Amino acid sequence: MQAPAVVPRFSRTPHPGISRMHPHAVSLWRHLLLPLAGLGLLLVWAGPLGGDPWLADRLYAWEGHAWSLRDAWITDTVIHVAGRNLNVAVWVVLLACWLLACLPPSRRWALRRPLGYLLLATLVSCLAVSWIKSWSNMDCPWDLLRYGGRKAFVGLIELRPLGMGRGRCFPAGHASGGYAWMASYFFLLAVAPRWRWLGLGTGVALGLVFGISQQLRGAHFLSHDLYTAGICWLVSLTLYLAILRPPADPRRAARSGGGTP
C-alpha cells in the first residue's frame, strides 16, 4: 500500500491565519468602496464646503494668531523628528526579521511573504506620497497671507502665478509615516486574524497623531492628511491583493503543492 504523499507544512497553509476564513476575505466593497466613500465625504467638507480654512482659522486663532507650535518641543522635536526616526527604526527591525525568516528551513518561512508585504506596503505608501508632493505644487498654511505668510492661496488644479515659487506641502508627508502602518491590518489578517483591527487602529492612530501635530504647526490642511490616508490605504489594499490574498480554493492549492513558502 502506497503511503500518501506528505504535504509540506507551508503548503497546507498558503497564508497563515487565512486558510480557515472565506477565500475572498477582503471584498472590494468593504475594503475599497466604503473607506473611499467615507474619505470622499470628509474631503467634500474639507474642500468645497470650506472645512480646511475653517479648521485652520481656529487653530491659528487658538495659538494666538501665529503658528506658536511650529517649533515647539512636543510637535517638532518629539512627534516630527523623533517620530520619523522611530518609524525608520521600526522598519529596519522588521527588515531584519524578514531576513531571519529567509534563513534555511524553519517555521519562520511562513512569515516571509507577510513580512515582505508589510515592508513593501509601508515603503511604497511613503514613497508614493513623497512622489506626489514633488509635483503637486501646493503651499503649507504657514506660507499663506491668511496665516502670516507671503503667498496667496492657489488650489490644487489652479495655475500658479509666474515667480510665485514652488509649494511642496501636498499631500501630508509626515502623516504618511503613520497611515502607512494601516498595512498592519492586512499583515495581521494573514498571520493573526483576531488582531487585524488592532493593526488598523495602530495605523490610524499614528496617522492622526502625526497629522494633527503637523496641522498644529501650520504645515498642512486637513485635506492633505485625508488624501494621504486614502493613498496609503489604496497601496496597502492593492499590494495585499497582489501578494497576500489567498487562492480561490486553498485546499486545491495545497493538493497541487502550490502553497507559498
Side-chain angles (χ1 to χ4, degrees), residues 49-243:
L49 297 181
D52 271 351
W54 180 88
L55 179 59
D57 286 352
R58 279 148 184 78
L59 293 178
Y60 187 69
W62 175 69
E63 294 181 40
H65 295 281
W67 297 114
S68 303
L69 296 177
R70 179 171 180 172
D71 299 313
W73 177 78
I74 185 66
T75 54
D76 185 22
T77 304
V78 176
I79 299 179
H80 189 227
V81 178
R84 179 189 60 213
N85 294 341
L86 180 61
N87 235 345
V88 174
V90 171
W91 195 90
V92 171
V93 169
L94 287 176
L95 177 62
C97 293
W98 177 78
L99 292 173
L100 287 175
C102 292
L103 292 177
S106 72
R107 292 185 177 182
R108 291 189 301 267
W109 270 28
L111 290 174
R112 287 189 302 172
R113 186 175 291 263
L115 279 173
Y117 158 80
L118 184 59
L119 288 167
L120 186 62
T122 50
L123 179 63
V124 172
S125 293
C126 293
L127 289 178
V129 170
S130 180
W131 175 69
I132 296 173
K133 282 186 67 174
S134 70
W135 54 260
S136 61
N137 208 14
M138 285 195 70
D139 299 304
C140 303
W142 62 39
D143 294 320
L144 303 179
L145 290 168
R146 183 170 184 150
Y147 305 111
R150 298 182 178 181
K151 297 180 180 179
F153 175 80
V154 179
L156 180 61
I157 59 175
E158 297 177 6
L159 293 177
R160 294 173 70 85
L162 293 176
M164 187 175 186
R166 290 189 55 79
R168 294 179 56 88
C169 294
F170 175 88
H174 190 54
S176 70
Y179 287 123
W181 293 104
M182 292 190 295
S184 300
Y185 171 86
F186 297 107
F187 168 77
L188 290 170
L189 181 63
V191 301
R194 292 182 180 180
W195 297 97
R196 66 190 186 278
W197 295 111
L198 177 61
L200 178 62
T202 299
V204 171
L206 286 173
L208 287 173
V209 169
F210 289 171
I212 292 172
S213 172
Q214 288 295 82
Q215 290 179 51
L216 289 171
R217 296 181 70 229
H220 293 292
F221 287 111
L222 171 63
S223 63
H224 299 187
D225 293 316
L226 294 175
Y227 276 105
T228 291
I231 292 168
C232 292
W233 184 252
L234 283 175
V235 169
S236 299
L237 175 59
T238 301
L239 290 178
Y240 166 82
L241 295 175
I243 298 173

Side-chain angles (χ1 to χ4, degrees), residues 8-26:
R9 180 181 181 87
F10 58 77
S11 293
R12 293 175 185 168
T13 307
H15 303 299
I18 287 186
S19 61
R20 296 182 181 180
M21 300 177 66
H22 191 281
H24 300 290
V26 170

